[in-house]
């Protein structure tokens, strides 16, 4: 593989919603160099790739940020960082205004006010939201975007008795190029994890899922391997979706006021609660009781409302509109059948992710997190991810200023060496030296490059990355609370899941990559396997059922106030170790201390 060394001030991993907005924010600091590494292309990557028809986190007229905090806190049964929610909520309207300045079309009434959809949402024409973010990112003179570069590991450096993140390693997904990126600070915005569990649809339709299939938990996995503290992986997210198309149901429920009904036409949503997890749980229980299938009752809506639904889904989930048209029956004539998806690990809807301070710094110096990878702050959605990207970017600038002030001597000592190597660092292959090593590349970089090359040079194995992934999904589905068991699990099943997932890890390193795309698939499976280990450990550690369906523990089927605490973890010597952190009023005092052990 060709080696390319890049030096920058800030590396942003992931060019999705949070990553782009962090880059745009940092673009104002013209004396800083920023690199965005995106394994796809930022124009159509991340959760916004296909667009969205509403902003689900907005402080509507008559409401205040504290109201949004209370809503999210209630929906998550109290397991939230209120300090994180409040700092995010205070910026929701600000980042919305910025998006409108970038060109986002936000629907307005005759008085020029945003058209609300419920208490916390506003309607938009958001098919081009991601291209708008990409274009604004590209306008920043000091921002370089590396499209089609997959980052797999942080570059960890020992400095003054502590481990610091100073960049990352990765590879081009199209060409045999190894990237060694040196950075003074890193913002991880790589998104959550899909594909851990067996999905609703089999075979060639398996990627028709709620969350982007290319979000494989890379950011989580890198943090786990680096020893970062992670939080709340047991609060999985299970979406209630239109059957088969896996299209959103909120557009129907909020757009036309459709109620959840069973096969008898009985409204059941109020019976189980109107929280996000409660809506899924009610659907599962009605089906288990023999009162399914379950539906959103749309029969009887007006033709105008039906046309609005057609347009709304064409803007974000065209398969649902096409299904209505192909069947010859629209929602006016036929209710929409609904189902729960497989579980996902995602910090934008639930609270899974890095344990962070209010400035979105992680427990590893030099590393910040924003968007779906940042834990403790659920219900952030699109605007919350934008807000966290901005918060993290501003914090990085403060961090760099502090680092510069504290390390001027170290900077001076290293400047001559960096200048000496500068000509070799930018986008070119320097070729091996006489002893087969490449001058100027640290041993850990050599080891990571050798790891990539071993997959490319290895012999064909008797199985593929896809088959290994399917084995993983089967284990998680059957033993760690997937669709197969109606999201239920117990200690015995989780112990089996942990054992079987560990047994898959050595098989990963027997895989062969015929090209760079194969190498990408191998590392995506690696990321998912690492995240699976953390998920299983977290599920086992919370000995209660706090969120029905999201975490249905049959050994402990009730909610317990003594478990009103955070379940966190760190990987130590290859093993996931659980840390419990107390839940304090206001959520201000958790930060990186206050451990219960």
């Amino acid at each position: 593989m060709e080696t390319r060394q890049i030096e920058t001030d800030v590396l942003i991993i992931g060019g999705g919603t949070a990553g782009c907005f962090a880059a745009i924010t940092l673009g104002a600091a013209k004396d800083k160099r920023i690199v965005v590494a995106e394994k796809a292309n930022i124009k159509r990557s991340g959760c916004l790739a296909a667009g969205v028809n509403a902003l689900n986190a907005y402080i509507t007229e008559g409401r205040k940020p504290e109201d949004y905090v209370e809503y999210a806190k209630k929906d998550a049964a109290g397991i939230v960082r209120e300090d994180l929610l409040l700092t995010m909520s205070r910026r929701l309207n600000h980042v919305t205004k910025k998006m409108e300045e970038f060109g986002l079309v936000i629907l307005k009434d005759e008085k020029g006010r945003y058209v609300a959809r419920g208490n916390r949402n506003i309607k938009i024409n958001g098919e081009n939201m991601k291209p708008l973010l990409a274009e604004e990112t590209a306008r920043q003179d000091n921002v370089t975007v590396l499209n089609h570069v997959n980052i797999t590991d942080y570059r960890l450096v020992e400095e003054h008795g502590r481990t610091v993140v100073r960049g990352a390693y990765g590879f081009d997904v199209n060409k045999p190029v190894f990237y060694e990126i040196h950075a003074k600070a890193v913002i991880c915005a790589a998104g959550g994890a899909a594909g851990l569990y067996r999905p609703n649809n089999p075979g060639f339709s398996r990627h028709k899922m709620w969350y982007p299939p290319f979000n494989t938990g890379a950011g989580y996995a890198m943090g786990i391997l680096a020893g970062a503290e992670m939080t709340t992986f047991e609060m999985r997210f299970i979406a209630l979706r239109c059957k088969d198309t896996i299209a959103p149901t909120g557009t129907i429920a909020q757009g036309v006021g459709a109620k959840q009904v069973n096969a008898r036409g009985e409204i059941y949503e109020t019976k189980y609660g109107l929280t996000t997890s409660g809506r899924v749980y009610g659907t599962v229980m009605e089906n288990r009781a023999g009162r399914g299938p379950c539906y959103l009752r749309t029969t009887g809506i007006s033709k105008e409302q039906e046309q609005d639904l057609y347009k709304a889904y064409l803007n974000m989930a065209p398969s649902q509109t096409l299904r209505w048209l192909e069947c010859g029956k629209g929602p006016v004539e036929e209710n929409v059948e609904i189902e729960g998806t497989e579980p996902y690990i995602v910090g934008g809807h639930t609270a899974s992710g890095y344990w962070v301070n209010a400035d979105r710094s992680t427990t590893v110096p030099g590393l910040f997190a924003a968007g779906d990878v940042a834990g403790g702050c659920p219900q952030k959605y699109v605007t919350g991810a934008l807000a966290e990207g901005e918060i993290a970017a501003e914090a990085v600038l403060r961090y760099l200023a502090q680092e510069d002030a504290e390390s001027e001597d170290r900077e001076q000592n290293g400047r001559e060496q960096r200048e000496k190597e500068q000509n070799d660092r930018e986008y070119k292959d320097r070729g091996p030296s006489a002893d087969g090593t490449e001058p100027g590349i640290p041993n850990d970089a050599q080891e990571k490059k050798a790891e990539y090359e071993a997959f490319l040079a290895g012999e064909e194995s008797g199985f593929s990355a896809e088959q290994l992934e399917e084995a993983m999904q089967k284990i998680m589905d059957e033993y760690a609370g997937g669709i197969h068991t109606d999201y239920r699990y117990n200690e015995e099943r989780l112990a089996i899941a942990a054992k079987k997932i560990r047994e898959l890890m050595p098989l990963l390193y027997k895989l062969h990559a015929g090209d760079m795309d194969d190498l990408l698939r191998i590392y995506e499976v690696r990321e998912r396997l690492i995240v699976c280990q953390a998920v299983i450990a977290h599920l086992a550690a919370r000995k209660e059922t706090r969120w029905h369906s999201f975490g249905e523990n049959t050994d402990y089927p009730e909610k317990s106030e003594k478990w009103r605490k955070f379940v966190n973890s760190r990987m130590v010597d290859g093993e996931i170790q659980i840390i419990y952190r107390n839940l304090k009023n206001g959520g201000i005092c958790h930060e990186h201390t206050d451990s219960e052990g």
Side-chain angles (χ1 to χ4, degrees):
M1 297 176 71
E2 173 190 343
T3 295
R4 293 182 183 175
Q5 281 190 332
I6 295 174
E7 184 165 338
T8 186
D9 293 303
V10 184
L11 169 63
I12 299 172
I13 302 173
T17 312
C20 278
F21 210 80
I24 293 165
T25 304
L26 288 167
K30 298 303 181 184
D31 62 328
K32 304 300 181 190
R33 298 161 299 169
I34 297 94
V35 169
V36 180
E38 164 61 52
K39 75 175 179 180
N41 186 301
I42 67 167
K43 186 175 181 180
R44 289 290 185 187
S45 65
C47 298
L48 282 183
V52 65
N53 74 331
L55 296 179
N56 291 331
Y58 185 81
I59 311 303
T60 55
E61 191 172 340
R63 305 275 174 171
K64 56 186 185 296
E66 289 77 6
D67 296 331
Y68 197 88
V69 173
E70 286 304 308
Y71 149 69
K73 182 179 177 182
K74 180 180 178 182
D75 199 77
I79 308 300
V80 299
R81 284 277 300 278
E82 293 182 45
D83 56 335
L84 303 184
L85 277 166
L86 189 58
T87 53
M88 176 202 78
S89 300
R90 286 171 173 165
R91 294 182 185 237
L92 293 176
N93 292 19
H94 156 66
V95 296
T96 299
K97 186 64 177 176
K98 293 290 291 184
M99 286 305 307
E100 188 173 31
E101 292 172 3
F102 297 161
L104 179 67
V105 176
I106 303 178
L107 278 64
K108 297 180 180 178
D109 61 19
E110 62 278 1
K111 295 183 179 179
R113 299 172 300 192
Y114 294 156
V115 176
R117 193 186 78 170
N119 294 328
R120 296 168 292 275
N121 308 4
I122 58 173
K123 295 181 178 181
I124 65 171
N125 288 342
E127 185 278 337
N128 67 338
M129 193 167 181
K130 192 61 207 299
L132 288 173
L133 278 168
E135 289 166 10
E136 191 62 28
T137 301
R139 288 193 186 99
Q140 311 307 313
D141 296 334
N142 54 340
V143 175
T144 300
V145 176
L146 299 177
N147 287 315
H148 305 128
V149 172
N150 184 53
I151 301 298
T152 67
D153 297 85
Y154 294 126
R155 179 175 176 265
L156 302 174
V157 177
E158 292 297 321
E159 293 181 2
H160 303 283
R162 62 176 189 166
T163 301
V164 183
V165 171
R166 296 296 190 201
Y169 305 115
F171 56 85
D172 192 297
V173 302
N174 298 315
K175 298 172 289 187
V177 178
F178 167 69
Y179 278 89
E180 180 190 358
I181 304 175
H182 295 237
K184 297 176 183 176
V186 173
I187 297 175
C188 182
L196 307 181
Y197 288 80
R198 182 183 283 168
N200 293 88
N201 299 310
F204 71 93
S205 295
R206 68 187 182 280
H207 287 152
K208 187 184 287 290
M209 56 174 59
W210 168 74
Y211 197 64
F214 39 80
N215 280 14
T216 59
Y220 297 147
M222 288 189 289
I224 292 168
L225 291 175
E229 187 170 336
M230 313 303 285
T231 189
T232 325
F233 277 29
E234 77 280 9
M235 191 195 292
R236 309 173 301 172
F237 185 75
I238 298 158
L240 186 67
R241 305 295 270 185
C242 302
K243 193 175 188 311
D244 297 330
T245 63
I246 316 298
T249 54
T251 299
I252 300 174
Q254 295 184 40
V256 299
K259 302 294 185 183
Q260 290 176 224
V261 298
N262 60 27
R264 302 173 185 175
E266 300 165 337
I267 297 173
Y268 66 84
E269 60 182 36
T270 51
K271 179 179 176 182
Y272 300 95
L274 295 175
T275 62
T276 307
S277 61
R279 289 179 177 276
V280 177
Y281 179 63
T283 304
V284 170
M285 295 302 288
E286 289 297 300
N287 278 306
R288 290 185 65 196
R291 294 188 289 270
C294 295
Y295 303 91
L296 282 172
R297 188 169 63 195
T298 56
T299 52
I301 65 173
S302 69
K303 280 291 184 181
E304 183 181 1
Q305 287 176 311
E306 182 179 62
Q307 288 298 314
D308 286 343
L309 288 179
Y310 285 159
K311 293 174 184 176
Y313 281 101
L314 281 175
N315 203 29
M316 60 173 178
S319 58
Q320 184 60 36
T321 299
L322 293 174
R323 182 188 177 107
W324 280 323
L325 297 176
E326 288 168 356
C327 292
K329 287 186 177 181
V332 166
E333 302 173 76
E334 189 173 75
N335 291 330
V336 178
E337 189 175 349
I338 55 178
E339 64 181 347
T341 63
E342 75 276 20
Y344 303 90
I345 305 301
V346 53
H349 285 64
T350 51
S352 309
Y354 285 88
W355 185 249
V356 294
N357 281 344
D359 64 359
R360 274 52 178 186
S361 61
T362 73
T363 57
V364 183
L367 178 62
F368 298 74
D372 280 340
V373 293
C377 184
Q379 311 293 355
K380 66 184 66 154
Y381 304 119
V382 173
T383 40
L386 296 170
E388 287 199 329
E390 184 177 67
I391 291 169
E394 292 173 356
V396 161
L397 292 175
R398 293 193 297 272
Y399 172 81
L400 293 178
Q402 181 180 349
E403 284 280 291
D404 288 344
E406 293 177 351
S407 62
E408 186 59 36
D409 289 341
R410 295 200 305 274
E411 181 68 18
Q412 181 61 39
N413 293 336
R415 189 171 290 129
E416 290 183 6
Q417 180 65 21
R418 287 200 304 275
E419 289 174 355
K420 180 180 178 182
E421 297 173 358
Q422 186 63 37
N423 292 334
D424 294 328
R425 287 186 171 176
E426 297 293 337
Y427 301 90
K428 64 180 181 179
D429 183 9
R430 295 169 299 160
S433 63
D435 63 357
T437 64
E438 296 187 49
I441 300 183
N443 288 335
D444 51 357
Q446 290 279 34
E447 291 168 6
K448 183 51 58 178
K449 182 183 177 186
E451 181 181 292
Y452 298 158
E453 291 176 332
F455 284 115
L456 292 164
E459 296 181 358
E460 290 282 352
S461 60
F463 51 92
S464 65
E466 183 177 324
Q467 289 170 324
L468 196 62
E469 183 176 282
E470 288 178 353
M472 173 199 71
Q473 290 176 343
K474 184 176 188 292
I475 293 165
M476 296 297 288
D477 182 52
E478 295 181 0
Y479 297 104
I483 296 171
H484 181 87
T485 61
D486 288 335
Y487 312 117
R488 295 173 296 166
Y489 53 87
N490 57 33
E491 289 181 349
E492 177 66 19
R493 286 183 177 274
L494 291 174
I496 295 171
K499 177 177 179 292
K500 288 180 176 289
I501 291 296
R502 281 197 303 269
E503 290 170 350
L504 290 184
M505 287 299 293
L507 299 180
L508 179 79
Y509 292 94
K510 296 181 180 180
L511 291 171
H512 168 69
D515 55 24
M516 299 308 292
D517 188 66
D518 285 348
L519 188 63
L520 172 64
R521 304 304 164 203
I522 290 171
Y523 275 87
E524 288 180 334
V525 176
R526 184 195 75 153
E527 292 151 5
R528 286 177 166 133
L529 285 169
I530 292 167
V531 176
C532 282
Q533 293 178 67
V535 171
I536 293 166
H538 277 248
L539 291 173
R542 183 174 288 280
K543 301 186 186 304
E544 66 162 350
T545 294
R546 180 159 292 267
W547 314 279
H548 281 301
S549 293
F550 285 14
E552 198 72 44
N553 191 332
T554 57
D555 286 335
Y556 305 94
E558 304 298 327
K559 182 166 65 175
S560 169
E561 276 307 295
K562 76 176 185 178
W563 282 96
R564 200 168 174 272
K565 64 179 87 172
F566 286 100
V567 176
N568 289 8
S569 65
R570 285 184 65 234
M571 179 175 274
V572 180
D573 297 328
E575 298 292 329
I576 303 293
Q577 294 189 356
I578 295 297
I579 305 164
Y580 295 109
R581 289 200 179 271
N582 296 320
L583 186 67
K584 291 192 174 182
N585 292 332
I588 305 298
C589 300
H590 316 1
E591 301 268 317
H592 295 163
T593 57
D594 193 35
S595 171
E596 187 183 309

